[in-house]
Amino acid sequence: AKENAMLPPGGIDLNARNLEMDIAKEGAGAPVTFDPAMIAEFQRGDFSGITPVILKITPIDSPLALLGL
C-alpha cells in the first residue's frame, strides 16, 4: 500500500495533447456571451451554490447497449 502511494492516480487522461490524436481546429468557435452582473456576483462570492440543470434526456431502449452487450 505504501509503495503505491507515490504512483500517479489511475484513470483515463482526456487531455487531447496526451491522446496522440491528430486534432486540428478550424474557425473561431461558437460566440459566447456572459452577463457582467453574473460574473460580478461570482467574483463577490454572493451565491449559495450552483444548481445543475438537465437540458436534454435521451431515453434508451435497454441499458445493455451501454454495457456493450
Side-chain angles (χ1 to χ4, degrees), residues 14-36:
L14 297 178
N15 186 336
R17 284 177 265 179
N18 297 334
L19 291 176
E20 298 178 8
M21 297 176 72
D22 185 17
I23 298 174
K25 179 181 176 185
E26 296 179 11
V32 178
T33 58
F34 296 99
D35 180 9

Side-chain angles (χ1 to χ4, degrees), residues 4-54:
N4 291 335
M6 298 305 292
L7 295 175
I12 299 172
D13 186 358
L14 297 178
N15 186 336
R17 284 177 265 179
N18 297 334
L19 291 176
E20 298 178 8
M21 297 176 72
D22 185 17
I23 298 174
K25 179 181 176 185
E26 296 179 11
V32 178
T33 58
F34 296 99
D35 180 9
M38 183 181 291
I39 293 174
E41 183 178 346
F42 276 107
Q43 289 174 337
R44 283 193 311 270
D46 294 340
F47 59 92
S48 59
I50 297 173
T51 303
V53 177
I54 298 172

